[in-house]
């Protein structure tokens, strides 16, 4: 294994760890890519139908802004639930009566 391979593996490992701790990041990247592809496909379709470019871009801007507001709302909701609802639950106790150790990943991944 060369140093370039090791560095590439470390970068992939960091990306995977980041996506496990912050799931909104890869979801946001996928949403951005989907919106750009949708815009490119529809631009060709509407351009053939006679819609001007400025009207199309204005409509696409409104759609993109509403998606950003929706994603921000979902992110705030996720943060509120994880910080205030799930943190106030009683921690699980092991068979010897002590609290279990904290797990470094979110609740949906599990120990």
């Amino acid at each position: 294994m060369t140093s370039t391979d090791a560095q590439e593996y470390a970068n992939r490992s960091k990306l995977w760890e980041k996506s496990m701790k912050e799931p909104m990041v890869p979801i946001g990247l996928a949403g951005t890519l989907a919106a750009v592809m949708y815009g490119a496909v529809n631009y060709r379709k509407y351009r053939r139908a006679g819609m001007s470019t400025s009207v199309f871009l204005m409509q696409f801007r409104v759609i993109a802004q509403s998606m950003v507001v929706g994603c921000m709302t979902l992110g705030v909701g996720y943060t509120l639930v994880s910080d205030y609802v799930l943190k106030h639950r009683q921690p699980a106790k092991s068979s010897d009566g002590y609290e279990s150790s904290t797990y470094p990943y979110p609740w949906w991944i599990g120990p």
Side-chain angles (χ1 to χ4, degrees):
M1 183 183 265
T2 64
S3 66
T4 307
D5 292 337
Q7 185 177 13
E8 184 179 330
Y9 178 75
N11 288 340
R12 271 191 261 143
S13 176
K14 286 179 186 178
L15 179 65
W16 178 254
E17 186 176 332
K18 179 71 172 177
S19 65
M20 287 292 117
K21 288 183 179 179
E22 299 291 335
M24 290 295 174
V25 173
I27 292 171
L29 290 173
T32 302
L33 182 63
V36 168
M37 294 302 294
Y38 174 78
V41 169
N42 279 336
Y43 177 72
R44 292 187 66 200
K45 181 174 80 171
Y46 287 126
R47 187 71 178 156
R48 287 188 201 138
M51 179 185 281
S52 70
T53 303
S54 63
V55 172
F56 175 77
L57 290 176
M58 283 296 260
Q59 289 179 352
F60 190 65
R61 181 185 65 90
V62 170
I63 292 169
Q65 284 178 335
S66 63
M67 295 297 255
V68 167
V69 169
C71 288
M72 288 176 64
T73 304
L74 287 174
V76 167
Y78 168 77
T79 302
L80 288 173
V81 167
S82 66
D83 286 352
Y84 294 107
V85 174
L86 298 177
K87 293 236 177 176
H88 292 297
R89 290 183 179 176
Q90 293 293 332
K93 295 195 176 200
S94 61
S95 60
D96 56 1
Y98 294 105
E99 292 180 4
S100 62
S101 63
T102 58
Y103 191 65
Y105 296 108
W107 58 271
W108 64 84
I109 296 174

